[in-house]
Amino acid sequence: MSTKVESGAEMVSNASETSWRASMGAGAIIAVIGVLAILSPFVAGVSLSILLGALLIVGALVHVAHAFSGGWKRFVIQALLAVVYAIAGIALLSNPVLGLTTLTILVVAFLFVEGILEIVMGFQARGDKGWGALVVSGVLALVIAGIIWAGFPGTALWAVGLLFGVNLLVTGVSMMFMAQGTRTAARKEAPSETEARGA
């Protein structure tokens, strides 16, 4: 009986250890990529522009495939979408810096809308715990959007790549902290060796 309990505890412990190591490793890799993107924001931004262009080309091919799987109306719509995707994808691949400029405008628009919404939600939740942090986050998003827009188009050379790198860094570090927390919780919940032997 004790052997079965002990082997079960070891299996749970091994699974938790593997999960923790995988999450920690993935978090570390993402954080390192984030740091590299922060150190070379232009390269990171151009890489994102090229990646987006490639994804649009793939999307065009998918729409072409779907065009032949339905009726005449579906063919026309899917063909038009394929053409739009292909033109956008080719434009980004042929001139990724121009694509980077477009991405920067989209980032500014996103930050502006996000900032307004967070401020509104924060004031609507006034009195609740954490409402001030939501307002501060919204104001910060507006400030960042304003800084990027004020320096545009020069900011297009670094804004997207820098923000992408910061996002990856925060995500990676968060994953590492979560993995550490999971490991600590698993160790507390796992039955000790002495308890397993006594069963």
Side-chain angles (χ1 to χ4, degrees):
M1 179 67 178
S2 63
T3 306
K4 290 182 179 178
V5 174
E6 195 170 344
S7 62
E10 287 176 0
M11 286 174 61
V12 171
S13 177
N14 290 338
S16 299
E17 189 70 19
T18 302
S19 175
W20 169 80
R21 289 183 184 278
S23 296
M24 182 66 77
I29 291 171
I30 291 173
V32 169
I33 295 173
V35 170
L36 292 176
I38 291 171
L39 294 176
S40 301
F42 176 71
V43 174
V46 170
S47 300
L48 285 174
S49 184
I50 293 172
L51 177 61
L52 181 59
L55 290 175
L56 286 171
I57 295 295
V58 172
L61 295 176
V62 171
H63 282 295
V64 169
H66 281 301
F68 294 99
S69 63
W72 176 250
K73 289 183 179 179
R74 182 171 184 175
F75 175 83
V76 172
I77 294 172
Q78 293 292 338
L80 286 174
L81 286 173
V83 170
V84 171
Y85 272 62
I87 291 173
I90 292 170
L92 284 176
L93 290 176
S94 61
N95 193 350
V97 176
L98 179 62
L100 189 56
T101 304
T102 305
L103 286 177
T104 304
I105 294 173
L106 291 175
V107 166
V108 170
F110 169 77
L111 288 172
F112 180 77
V113 173
E114 182 189 34
I116 294 294
L117 290 177
E118 284 186 343
I119 291 172
V120 171
M121 287 188 297
F123 279 111
Q124 284 179 344
R126 189 168 27 187
D128 294 343
K129 187 176 181 181
W131 75 273
L134 198 58
V135 172
V136 170
S137 175
V139 171
L140 186 60
L142 290 178
V143 169
I144 294 172
I147 291 172
I148 295 173
W149 186 250
F152 189 81
T155 51
L157 299 177
W158 56 264
V160 173
L162 181 64
L163 292 174
F164 179 68
V166 170
N167 182 58
L168 285 181
L169 178 60
V170 171
T171 300
V173 172
S174 298
M175 286 179 65
M176 293 169 70
F177 275 116
M178 287 177 65
Q180 186 63 41
T182 302
R183 182 190 191 197
T184 304
R187 285 185 171 181
K188 287 180 180 178
E189 291 176 3
S192 64
E193 189 176 343
T194 55
E195 288 174 341
R197 286 178 179 174

